[in-house]
Amino acid sequence: MDYTVVSYAAYLPFALGVTVWVGRTLSRNGRLFLSAVFPGDDKLADAVNHLLVVGFYLLNLGFVVLWMKTDDQVGSVQGVFDALSVKLGSVLLVIGVMHLANVYVLNRIRRRGTMDRGQRPPVAPQGLAWPTPPQA
C-alpha cells in the first residue's frame, strides 16, 4: 500500500497551520513594535507591518507547497513518520529563519528611527544670535 498521499494529508495542514500561526503572531506583535518605531504615524506602521507579513507568507507558503512533493514512495506507517519528520523539520527551520530575518529588519528600522529622532534638536530654535564682533 502506498502511504504517500497520507503523508501529504498530514504534512499540508500542519505546515500551513504553523505558518499562519507564526504570521499572525508576527503581525500582532510587529504592529505594536512598529507603532513605537514610527510614533504618531500609525498608518506608516500598519503599512510596513503589512508588507513584512505579506512577504513572510509568500516566502513560507511557497516553500511549504514546493517542499510537499516527495520522490520516494512511502510504503509503511514508519515511512510516513520519516517523511513527515524531514519535511516538517525543514519547514519549521525555514519559518524560524524567516522569523529571525523579520526581527532583524524590525530592529534595523527601530534603530534608524531612534537615530533620526536623536538628531533633532530637543527645542525648536527661538531666534537668531549673531556672533559678537572681535574686540580690538
Side-chain angles (χ1 to χ4, degrees):
M1 181 174 181
D2 187 19
Y3 288 96
T4 305
V5 175
V6 174
S7 70
Y8 291 165
Y11 163 77
L12 200 55
F14 182 80
L16 292 177
V18 169
T19 301
V20 169
W21 175 71
V22 172
R24 286 186 178 180
T25 302
L26 287 173
S27 176
R28 184 177 49 251
N29 295 322
R31 164 69 174 92
L32 295 172
F33 184 82
L34 287 170
S35 65
V37 171
F38 302 113
D41 199 352
D42 288 338
K43 284 187 176 185
L44 180 60
D46 286 338
V48 170
N49 186 40
H50 187 71
L51 290 173
L52 287 171
V53 170
V54 166
F56 174 84
Y57 277 132
L58 288 174
L59 287 171
N60 283 300
L61 293 176
F63 178 76
V64 163
V65 172
L66 286 175
W67 193 242
M68 184 173 71
K69 182 171 177 8
T70 183
D71 293 333
D72 300 331
Q73 266 194 339
V74 180
S76 66
V77 175
Q78 179 184 356
V80 170
F81 284 103
D82 291 342
L84 285 176
S85 67
V86 170
K87 293 198 175 296
L88 293 176
S90 300
V91 167
L92 291 174
L93 286 173
V94 168
I95 288 174
V97 168
M98 287 303 302
H99 172 65
L100 290 177
N102 259 345
V103 169
Y104 177 76
V105 167
L106 290 173
N107 190 40
R108 294 286 302 221
I109 292 170
R110 182 186 64 82
R111 247 198 245 156
R112 185 175 213 167
T114 56
M115 284 176 39
D116 288 346
R117 282 192 300 272
Q119 293 177 356
R120 295 186 191 128
V123 178
Q126 298 176 1
L128 182 62
W130 294 98
T132 56
Q135 300 282 335

